[in-house]
């Protein structure tokens, strides 16, 4: 089984990466495209803090809990 670092955006979008750096890149693209009004306020350090508090290990894909790390998804 493949494991990934994953989390859901508050909008419900599921994102995953092979590690924290990859997940940060995926989430940055999502923020820039879908939430530009918030993206300008979230720098890379804050994004990594969010990932540290909210990401979880997903094994085998999108089998994500509905509430991961306190962030609704």
């Amino acid at each position: 089984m493949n494991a990934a670092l994953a989390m859901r955006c508050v909008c419900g979008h599921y994102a995953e990466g092979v590690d924290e750096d990859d997940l940060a890149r995926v989430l940055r693209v999502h923020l820039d495209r879908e939430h530009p009004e918030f993206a300008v306020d979230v720098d890379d350090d804050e994004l990594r803090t969010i990932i540290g508090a909210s990401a979880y290990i997903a094994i085998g894909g999108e089998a994500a809990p509905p509430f991961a790390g306190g962030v609704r998804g």
Side-chain angles (χ1 to χ4, degrees):
M1 293 190 138
N2 293 330
L5 189 60
M7 65 178 280
R8 288 191 182 276
C9 178
V10 294
C11 74
H13 175 78
Y14 174 81
E16 69 177 34
V18 296
D19 57 24
E20 187 175 304
D21 291 335
D22 192 37
L23 181 56
R25 283 189 292 274
V26 169
L27 288 171
R28 174 59 60 195
V29 169
H30 173 70
L31 283 173
D32 289 345
R33 288 183 182 165
E34 303 299 326
H35 310 290
E37 67 280 12
F38 300 118
V40 297
D41 295 329
V42 179
D43 64 21
D44 289 342
D45 289 336
E46 187 173 1
L47 185 57
R48 289 185 184 283
T49 298
I50 293 167
I51 290 169
S54 303
Y56 53 90
I57 302 297
I59 299 173
E62 194 177 337
F67 299 100
V71 175
R72 292 177 182 232

